[in-house]
Amino acid sequence: EISKVLYVKNLPYKIETDDMYSIFGKYGSLRQIRLGNAHNTRGTAFVVYDDIFDAKTARESLSGFNVGGRYLVVLYYAENRHK
């Protein structure tokens, strides 16, 4: 199901928030980016867009995109699936 929130996996561990805003900000207005910083969440992030269509465009464009030698896995976040 389409969502304004994207769950991003396979990020380089050394990626910075500014880098994420540069990559994902090209596709629309961002509300928030939260990078995983715990041992079991490193390499992941939540990216929240203001508009659902911007999130859809970003997911379609960036899934498989190479960042720092790693190919991004971009999924829609479904809250009920993660509880």
Side-chain angles (χ1 to χ4, degrees):
E1 186 173 315
I2 297 175
S3 169
K4 288 194 251 184
V5 183
L6 300 178
Y7 178 60
V8 185
K9 301 190 304 186
N10 205 35
L11 287 164
Y13 288 165
K14 297 199 183 294
I15 197 161
E16 300 287 332
T17 305
D18 290 345
D19 300 328
M20 293 290 291
Y21 275 100
S22 295
I23 294 167
F24 285 87
K26 294 175 185 173
Y27 299 96
S29 175
L30 293 166
R31 181 168 296 175
Q32 182 181 52
I33 294 179
R34 302 209 47 187
L35 284 170
N37 56 7
H39 178 70
N40 61 337
T41 61
R42 285 177 38 197
T44 66
F46 289 101
V47 179
V48 183
Y49 281 91
D50 288 320
D51 185 82
I52 198 165
F53 296 108
D54 294 340
K56 182 178 186 291
T57 303
R59 185 195 163 282
E60 291 170 353
S61 301
L62 293 174
S63 194
F65 185 72
N66 188 329
V67 176
R70 302 187 73 145
Y71 295 97
L72 300 184
V73 177
V74 184
L75 308 167
Y76 294 117
Y77 176 72
E79 185 177 344
N80 57 354
R81 244 189 288 164
H82 295 277
K83 283 190 175 178

